[in-house]
Amino acid sequence: MTAGGHRIALRAGAISFRGNPFLAPAEDCFTHEPDALLVMEGGRIAAFGAYDAVRPTLAEGTEIRAFPDALLCPGFIDTHVHYPQTEMIGSFAGELLDWLDAYTFPTELKFADPAHADRIARVFLRELLRAGTTTAMVYCTVHPQSAEALFAESERFDTLMIAGKVLMDRNAPDGLLDRSVRQGIDESEALIARWHGRGRQLYAVTPRFAGTSTAEQLEAAGHLLKRHDGLFLQTHLSENRTEIDWIAGLFPERADYLDIYAHAGLVGPRSVFGHGVHLQERQFCTCHETGAALAHCPTSNLFLGSGLFRLFDALDPRRPVRVGLGTDVGAGTSFSALATLNEAYKVAALRGDRLDALKAFYLATLGGAHALHLDHRLGRLEAGYEADVCVLDLKATDLMALRTARSTDIADHLFALMTLGDDRAVAATYVAGRCVYDRARPGDPFRHAAEA
Ligand code: GUN
Ligand code: ZN
């Protein structure tokens, strides 16, 4: 420890964004530093730039850790994931509604046991860090202790997590329903009082989706959202055609799926809607105007056969919608942002669009931060930003080394990373300036912040 707190410097190549390459020329948005020095102190980035420029400013005695054949990258941001579903990833089923009944609800019932919640929260946080993900927007289950377990483990790593207890009051097994609208809101309030803004933890009011909440519960969630500063809202939207038709029947008085949420006061800045695969132009406009975001979850949409998200329409420069990348585990099939980008590329390709590597890495970093309205804190390698960083190994596998040897520019390096890479390509993960995951560490590669 130094007087200003824990200080460490990392030397490697580095990439970072300062703008949105869907809206402006890539050269105006993107920084690549072939030999960078990143200095972290007191949880923040103290300096970042070319090694030759930053080295002379470094306080004497600062440890410099060099990573050869690696790229420093802002920690990945997963804007939609269900931690209770970690153990059911890759379960064979039909489309969304069948999959929910067959696997999801029975799996979430197990969170009535706090010890189970603790165990899965532990596994989940480690899977995120192993994949280089440092912030996620996380669904828990209806049980308050599921949120308690997630926040407690996140606090130990000092990760910035946004999470909430799920609200459901119909169309699910009894053991997964709030006993009343009032009780679900009271339990959410208690979790907000305990966790929202404690350290880096933030709370998201979490009605699962319109299919499992009554209009009364959605309305109560909308009131709750307004009672505390800086709360988030997460739910699902227009994922699957059968789901959309079913929900239209549950809310015949509403103009469309998004209008159900808008009517309840749930659409605004820091609202993040999972999927939005089948949205109309009118709904994209509403998201643009209100500052609400969509979480694009390509591995999930392919796994469940939900459809092909219109990424380039969502980001139309005439009315760009905030879009983040989501893994949506357990419907999603990987915790890795790299593996998720691999599928995002293919989803775009099937729609006749090409997702180049710079746009892709923007989505997984600064784009996610922008979707969450946290782009003043997260998503960039820049002095003053919170020091969440992943170290990407360009030669993680023999095949990656072979492929990378023929790359001549950074865009091609990144494209190879997102096509071939996954958690094997993450050499280390730093959270608030501390090394919480180091692939090369003998024994346990993970360390809680206090021990890192
Ligand atoms: N819609 C409502 N609940 C869920 C869920 O758990 N996963 C997905 N992918 N969609 C949902
Ligand atoms: Zn989901």
Side-chain angles (χ1 to χ4, degrees):
M1 290 288 274
T2 59
H6 187 83
R7 184 173 59 225
I8 185 169
L10 307 181
R11 181 180 185 180
I15 60 157
S16 181
F17 291 87
R18 53 185 184 279
N20 181 346
F22 284 90
L23 308 181
E27 56 273 22
D28 297 342
C29 305
F30 176 66
T31 302
H32 170 228
E33 193 56 66
D35 181 15
L37 192 63
L38 176 81
V39 187
M40 304 182 285
E41 182 166 17
R44 289 181 186 272
I45 297 172
F48 171 70
Y51 176 84
D52 288 342
V54 177
R55 178 73 186 84
T57 70
L58 200 58
E60 217 172 294
T62 306
E63 178 196 344
I64 300 180
R65 183 164 180 205
F67 289 94
D69 298 319
L71 275 178
L72 308 178
C73 176
F76 295 126
I77 296 176
D78 183 346
T79 60
H80 183 115
V81 62
H82 300 256
Y83 101 83
Q85 298 173 16
T86 300
E87 62 172 323
M88 53 166 280
I89 188 170
S91 293
F92 182 83
E95 290 189 4
L96 172 65
L97 299 179
D98 296 334
W99 172 87
L100 282 174
D101 286 337
Y103 291 102
T104 315
F105 292 153
T107 302
E108 294 193 6
L109 278 165
K110 294 165 72 175
F111 284 71
D113 173 8
H116 180 75
D118 288 345
R119 185 169 73 84
I120 301 296
R122 211 184 122 78
V123 173
F124 171 78
L125 259 297
R126 281 159 181 75
E127 288 305 312
L128 291 189
L129 297 171
R130 195 199 306 281
T133 298
T134 50
T135 282
M137 191 154 181
V138 186
Y139 288 68
C140 302
T141 66
V142 74
H143 316 93
Q145 62 266 28
S146 69
E148 185 66 31
L150 189 278
F151 281 129
E153 186 66 347
S154 173
E155 185 175 61
R156 288 181 205 114
F157 283 113
D158 204 16
T159 41
L160 191 157
M161 293 287 149
I162 307 164
K165 142 197 157 58
V166 161
L167 295 165
M168 292 200 265
D169 68 346
R170 61 169 163 172
N171 297 324
D174 270 355
L176 284 184
L177 297 181
D178 292 299
R179 264 180 279 152
S180 65
V181 169
R182 181 61 192 266
Q183 175 156 348
I185 296 300
D186 286 351
E187 288 174 354
S188 303
E189 284 268 19
L191 286 162
I192 291 164
R194 193 163 146 70
W195 288 106
H196 184 55
R198 167 166 156 181
R200 304 184 78 199
Q201 312 312 313
L202 294 166
Y203 196 84
V205 177
T206 309
R208 181 180 211 111
F209 71 144
T212 47
S213 286
T214 57
E216 295 70 39
Q217 189 175 53
L218 294 177
E219 201 169 306
H223 291 305
L224 172 59
L225 202 54
K226 288 175 188 59
R227 283 205 289 277
H228 304 272
D229 286 340
L231 285 178
F232 290 75
L233 177 284
Q234 59 182 345
T235 190
H236 294 83
L237 173 68
S238 289
E239 178 176 0
N240 164 289
R241 297 240 182 246
T242 310
E243 168 221 16
I244 293 167
D245 291 345
W246 174 55
I247 282 172
L250 293 177
F251 292 89
E253 64 284 11
R254 301 272 71 90
D256 57 46
Y257 200 154
L258 185 58
D259 185 45
I260 298 168
Y261 297 136
H263 186 79
L266 298 173
V267 181
R270 295 184 306 282
S271 297
V272 179
F273 297 101
H275 307 293
V277 170
H278 303 285
L279 294 183
Q280 315 293 327
E281 175 59 23
R282 175 177 65 178
Q283 297 164 303
F284 282 142
C285 287
T286 301
C287 291
H288 167 75
E289 285 158 13
T290 58
L294 299 174
H296 174 30
C297 308
T299 73
S300 165
N301 296 158
L302 293 172
F303 184 74
L304 292 178
S306 301
L308 304 174
F309 179 67
R310 293 160 54 204
L311 177 64
F312 284 74
D313 287 340
L315 278 147
D316 186 330
R318 288 169 296 186
R319 47 115 196 83
V321 174
R322 291 168 193 254
V323 178
L325 193 69
T327 63
D328 194 30
V329 167
T333 52
S334 174
F335 279 106
S336 166
L338 298 174
T340 306
L341 289 177
N342 182 20
E343 301 307 295
Y345 173 82
K346 295 168 191 168
V347 166
L350 284 168
R351 295 201 46 84
D353 297 313
R354 292 287 152 194
L355 178 64
D356 64 59
L358 298 190
K359 291 188 178 75
F361 274 76
Y362 167 80
L363 284 179
T365 59
L366 185 59
H370 182 67
L372 301 174
H373 293 255
L374 291 173
D375 45 326
H376 57 299
R377 294 176 60 181
L378 303 180
R380 290 176 64 173
L381 303 183
E382 187 70 38
Y385 273 70
E386 296 175 26
D388 296 338
V389 181
C390 64
V391 183
L392 299 173
D393 177 358
L394 293 164
K395 299 185 176 173
T397 66
D398 290 348
L399 181 60
M400 287 175 73
L402 182 74
R403 170 68 176 79
T404 294
R406 48 174 279 160
S407 284
T408 50
D409 65 33
I410 185 65
D412 189 52
H413 273 306
L414 293 175
F415 194 70
L417 254 178
M418 69 187 240
T419 305
L420 301 173
D422 50 32
D423 56 333
R424 291 169 299 172
V426 177
T429 304
Y430 288 77
V431 166
R434 290 178 186 271
C435 185
V436 293
Y437 171 68
D438 183 347
R439 191 181 59 183
R441 207 180 261 151
D444 184 2
F446 298 97
R447 292 273 188 282
H448 285 149
E451 308 142 9

